[in-house]
Amino acid sequence: ERQGATAFSSVMAKDNEKPRSGPSFFTMAMVPAAAYFVYLFVTGNPTQRVGKLYSMMAKGMAGGEDVSAFDKIFTTVKGNDQHNAYDGDVANKFYNLASEFYEYGWGDSFHFGYRKKGEPHSLSIANSQNFVARKLQVGDMDSVLDMGCGIGGPLRGVVRATGANVTGITINAYQVQRAKEITSRLAPYMQERCHYIVQDYLNVQGLEDASYDAAFYMESSLHCEDRTKTFKEAYRLLKPGGRLVAMEYNLLPGWNSSDPLHADLMAKHLHGNGAAKTPTIEEDLEMIRASGFEVREHFDLMAMGPDIYGEEAFPWWGDLQFNLEFSLLPAHPWVRGPLPTILKGLSALGIIPDDVPKAAALMNEGGDGLSGLGKVGAITPQYYVLGVKPLK
């Protein structure tokens, strides 16, 4: 027995002397690749909050919103058709479903912009906000209205650029709560100038007539079919000579209502973005004029990218379509595409609420529809219009 034990020990000693192989090349390559993926995932826009996805997975949708009930509002929408409910109610329901998804995947500013290829998504946001700030022509502590402010990203951008005293209006209580949370962590200078209230911009209550120097819409009027109603509210609240800067969702000449692809993309956009029927440029301009404004200037801001950068321009819709820049990873089809399926599996196991995967699918529908329309030249999210309230 002793000889057997000695022989076994001798074999083990020799085996231990053999050089051990380290981690494989594949394993070593995957570590930095995974780290880079995480870096891209959380740094596409500094205002993205990946934790909002986990918040929804834990608590469900804001206000306990029901996706299936929201879907029923759009059952008759087949192309550029109007849904069957009050526009304000639809916007409120939609942002209960969308606000946290938007902050997770896009940032605190729920709008588009233009930039050069290779530049970060955050520059698209900054370009549009700085443009609006310039066109408002306001200065320190001038009174400004943000008509449809979301969680306040554009409002804070305008304040940083101008020092104006800005009041944001949104119909959604969660958005006001979130906007105040974000602002509470900013410097006193910003807190003194950033204000948020729950209001229906189709029927604003409690604000003094003719008391604001300027007002703006950052892609927010898409939620009402007759935009004259909200433009009249802005007109009423502005001082004589006050400026309206509206960044508008409008149909472009590339829109073809008889094309089945266009109709399908439009139906997806309207449903997935809680939007009302989209007007043509001329229809929109007429609604602004009918509200009392003199239209001084108008053009498609999204055309400025190609005008400035030529072939190097990154399209406004590019982050939502397949691209190799990966500058906004949570919005990339490779990431957002499978997300509803993953969440649905977790829901089936009873780990997360049922409405979370449904809402994720709704966000994908909106992203696919809108970016698809942009790709075929059928729509712009930022047709710029400058209106001025006459002095008399």
Side-chain angles (χ1 to χ4, degrees):
E1 289 181 7
R2 187 172 183 79
Q3 287 180 341
T6 302
F8 177 76
S9 299
S10 177
V11 171
M12 289 299 295
K14 290 181 180 179
D15 187 60
N16 288 336
E17 291 173 2
K18 294 179 181 179
R20 295 182 180 276
S21 60
S24 67
F25 174 78
F26 176 78
T27 301
M28 295 177 66
M30 284 303 294
V31 172
Y36 185 58
F37 178 88
V38 173
Y39 169 78
L40 289 175
F41 200 87
V42 300
T43 60
N45 185 317
T47 65
Q48 280 176 254
R49 293 294 177 265
V50 175
K52 286 297 176 182
L53 178 61
Y54 302 114
S55 175
M56 288 183 285
M57 291 167 66
K59 302 176 183 177
M61 312 315 301
E65 200 64 58
D66 184 336
V67 179
S68 296
F70 177 82
D71 291 342
K72 291 177 182 178
I73 297 169
F74 289 84
T75 53
T76 60
V77 174
K78 306 302 180 185
N80 191 24
D81 300 325
Q82 178 63 6
H83 55 65
N84 59 23
Y86 174 64
D87 288 327
D89 291 341
V90 176
N92 187 39
K93 291 176 180 295
F94 175 72
Y95 284 113
N96 278 337
L97 300 172
S99 293
E100 288 185 288
F101 268 111
Y102 281 3
E103 193 175 1
Y104 146 73
W106 200 260
D108 70 355
S109 297
F110 304 165
H111 64 83
F112 293 91
Y114 65 88
R115 69 182 190 265
K116 186 179 180 181
K117 291 177 181 177
E119 292 179 335
H121 171 261
S122 56
L123 191 57
S124 292
I125 300 301
N127 283 339
S128 287
Q129 291 179 6
N130 289 334
F131 175 86
V132 169
R134 290 196 305 272
K135 293 299 183 178
L136 288 170
Q137 293 189 5
V138 292
D140 191 51
M141 294 307 290
D142 284 344
S143 296
V144 177
L145 282 171
D146 179 351
M147 303 289 281
C149 66
I151 61 172
L155 184 155
R156 292 184 290 274
V158 167
V159 171
R160 292 186 189 99
T162 67
N165 187 33
V166 187
T167 298
I169 290 173
T170 172
I171 200 168
N172 185 265
Y174 168 79
Q175 290 190 329
V176 168
Q177 172 193 329
R178 181 62 183 140
K180 289 181 176 179
E181 287 174 358
I182 295 170
T183 303
S184 70
R185 298 194 294 268
L186 302 180
Y189 176 92
M190 294 294 292
Q191 294 184 32
E192 291 167 4
R193 291 164 171 80
C194 299
H195 316 281
Y196 315 92
I197 55 176
V198 178
Q199 288 272 0
D200 182 352
Y201 69 10
L202 297 171
N203 183 24
V204 181
Q205 302 291 317
L207 300 184
E208 185 180 351
D209 288 0
S211 60
Y212 291 87
D213 299 293
F216 69 94
Y217 294 78
M218 184 61 93
E219 301 185 12
S220 54
S221 68
L222 83 159
H223 297 295
C224 53
E225 180 183 20
D226 183 3
R227 299 179 184 181
T228 307
K229 294 178 181 179
T230 183
F231 294 148
K232 282 184 175 180
E233 291 297 279
Y235 184 91
R236 175 175 63 83
L237 294 167
L238 285 174
K239 299 174 183 177
R243 296 168 70 88
L244 171 75
V245 176
M247 312 304 290
E248 297 288 280
Y249 270 80
N250 284 169
L251 297 175
L252 294 177
W255 164 252
N256 181 357
S257 60
S258 62
D259 186 325
L261 173 62
H262 288 209
D264 180 62
L265 291 171
M266 180 60 78
K268 289 179 177 177
H269 156 56
L270 297 181
H271 178 213
N273 290 304
K277 181 179 179 180
T278 308
T280 65
I281 293 169
E282 285 305 318
E283 287 171 341
D284 197 29
L285 292 174
E286 181 54 35
M287 284 188 272
I288 292 176
R289 292 189 183 103
S291 306
F293 289 101
E294 296 175 356
V295 174
R296 298 285 181 86
E297 189 178 29
H298 61 92
F299 55 82
D300 183 7
L301 184 66
M302 295 300 91
M304 284 192 69
D307 287 347
I308 296 171
Y309 301 118
E311 293 182 358
E312 289 300 304
F314 188 80
W316 64 263
W317 43 264
D319 288 307
L320 292 169
Q321 292 276 319
F322 172 77
N323 66 84
L324 294 175
E325 297 211 355
F326 303 108
S327 61
L328 195 67
L329 205 54
H332 195 285
W334 284 1
V335 175
R336 66 178 177 84
L339 182 61
T341 301
I342 296 170
L343 295 174
K344 187 175 182 180
L346 296 175
S347 175
L349 294 172
I351 298 173
I352 65 173
D354 291 341
D355 275 316
V356 178
K358 294 178 183 178
L362 180 69
M363 298 302 103
N364 276 350
E365 185 177 346
D368 290 341
L370 178 56
S371 62
L373 289 170
K375 191 173 183 178
V376 299
I379 199 170
T380 176
Q382 288 191 16
Y383 193 86
Y384 154 67
V385 184
L386 172 63
V388 176
K389 182 175 181 176
L391 292 173
K392 293 182 179 181

